[in-house]
Amino acid sequence: VRPQGQDIIRTWLFSTVVRSHLEEGSLPWAHAAISGWILDPDRKKMSKSKGNVVTPMGLLQTHGSDAVRYWAASARLGTDAAFDEGQMKIGRRLAIKVLNASKFALGFGEVHPEAQVTEAIDRWMLAGLSAVVDMAAAALEAYDHTRALEATETFFWPFCDDYLELVKDRAYGADGVEPAATASARLALTTALDTLLRLLAPVLPFATEEVWSWWREGSVHRAPWPDAAPLRAVAGDGDPAVLGAAGRALAAIRKVK
C-alpha cells in the first residue's frame, strides 16, 4: 500500500506507476491510500502559503502524542479532516481511561491458572468483545482504520462505565461471593484487557505500551493481532445484547440517584 495526499495523484502516483510499467513491466504497489486535506476552523485547506497552518509541537506538549494520533486516526481516507482540539481532548481522556481501567483490572495480582470464566455477565462481555475483534480486523483489512477505532471505542467506554462497575464487588471478593465467581471476574478482566490493548495499540501506542509493560514481556506492538475464536470459545452462548441492557439499567439507576 502507498499512502499519499490527493494533491500528488497526477504527479507522484501517476509518474511512479508509468515508470514502473515502462521499466519493470509491473505495478509498484497494489493499493494507494489517499488522505484528505486538513481544514482550518473556517473549513479552508491548511497550507503554509495561506499562513493558517498549526504546527504539531505545541499540540503534542498540550495534549500528548496519543491524543494527537487519536485525532488523526479519526479522519477517514479520502475525506477532509477538520482541525479539532476537542477531538484531541477526547483522545487524551481515552488514553487516561486505558491507564486507569488497566490499573483496576491488574490490581488483583496473578489470575489462578485453573480459573475459568463461569459467570454469565463475564461471558456476555467476552462475546461482545469477540465481535469487536472481527469488526476491527475486517475494517483494517479494508484499510478503514477509522471504522476499526470506532468499533473498539464503542465497546471500550461501556466496558469501563458499565461492566467494571457491575463486576467490581465480585472481582474484589466481597463477602458472600463464591471464590469461583471472583476468579471468573478476574480472568474475564485480564482477558479483555489483553485484547483491548492490542486493538488500541495502533491508535494509542504509548498508553498501551505502558500498560503492556506492567504485566507482559516484550512490546504490545510486536504482539499478534487478537483472535476472536478463543474469546468465542470462552464466551460460549453468551449474548452481548444482555450486557448492553444491564448497562442501560445501571445508567438509569445512576440518573435516579
Side-chain angles (χ1 to χ4, degrees), residues 64-246:
S65 299
D66 280 355
V68 176
R69 188 177 178 92
Y70 171 87
W71 161 74
S74 299
R76 296 185 183 278
L77 291 177
T79 61
D80 296 335
F83 173 74
D84 185 3
E85 286 198 64
Q87 195 75 2
M88 297 177 196
K89 292 177 182 178
I90 295 173
R92 179 177 176 81
R93 188 160 63 93
L94 179 62
I96 292 172
K97 197 71 170 181
V98 167
L99 295 172
N100 290 338
S102 300
K103 289 177 182 177
F104 170 76
L106 299 175
F108 307 105
E110 293 288 334
V111 177
H112 194 280
E114 296 183 5
Q116 295 183 346
V117 177
T118 57
E119 302 302 299
I121 192 171
D122 301 332
R123 290 188 281 109
W124 298 340
M125 182 274 293
L126 293 175
L129 184 55
S130 70
V132 171
V133 171
D134 284 336
M135 286 187 287
L140 289 177
E141 286 289 339
Y143 299 106
D144 191 351
H145 58 273
T146 305
R147 176 61 187 138
L149 173 59
E150 287 176 350
T152 305
E153 194 176 4
T154 298
F155 176 89
F156 180 75
W157 286 114
F159 170 80
C160 294
D161 296 339
D162 300 334
Y163 177 74
L164 296 189
E165 189 67 28
L166 289 167
V167 304
K168 181 169 60 178
D169 289 343
R170 181 158 52 89
Y172 277 119
D175 292 341
V177 176
E178 294 291 331
T182 296
S184 176
R186 294 177 180 179
L187 178 58
L189 284 168
T190 55
T191 300
L193 180 62
D194 178 86
T195 301
L196 286 166
L197 289 177
R198 286 181 279 169
L199 288 173
L200 289 168
V203 179
L204 305 175
F206 293 98
T208 53
E209 182 77 344
E210 172 64 20
V211 175
W212 193 264
S213 71
W214 295 348
W215 68 315
R216 291 284 193 251
E217 297 293 329
S219 169
V220 66
H221 304 296
R222 297 182 66 86
W225 186 253
D227 185 356
L231 295 173
R232 282 195 291 268
V234 174
D237 59 353
D239 184 356
V242 182
L243 180 58

Side-chain angles (χ1 to χ4, degrees), residues 4-22:
Q4 66 164 66
Q6 55 183 293
D7 54 331
I8 57 172
I9 291 176
R10 66 178 183 145
T11 51
W12 287 108
L13 187 151
F14 177 76
S15 63
T16 307
V17 170
V18 171
R19 183 171 181 176
S20 177
H21 171 70
L22 294 177

Side-chain angles (χ1 to χ4, degrees), residues 6-82:
Q6 55 183 293
D7 54 331
I8 57 172
I9 291 176
R10 66 178 183 145
T11 51
W12 287 108
L13 187 151
F14 177 76
S15 63
T16 307
V17 170
V18 171
R19 183 171 181 176
S20 177
H21 171 70
L22 294 177
E23 295 186 0
E24 304 294 337
S26 64
L27 287 172
W29 58 78
H31 304 277
I34 310 298
S35 61
W37 307 119
I38 303 300
L39 306 180
D40 68 12
D42 295 326
R43 308 297 296 180
K44 296 179 180 178
K45 172 194 168 186
M46 283 191 176
S47 66
K48 288 185 289 185
S49 61
K50 292 181 179 180
N52 60 349
V53 170
V54 177
T55 56
M57 185 54 67
L59 299 172
L60 296 173
Q61 292 173 342
T62 301
H63 303 291
S65 299
D66 280 355
V68 176
R69 188 177 178 92
Y70 171 87
W71 161 74
S74 299
R76 296 185 183 278
L77 291 177
T79 61
D80 296 335

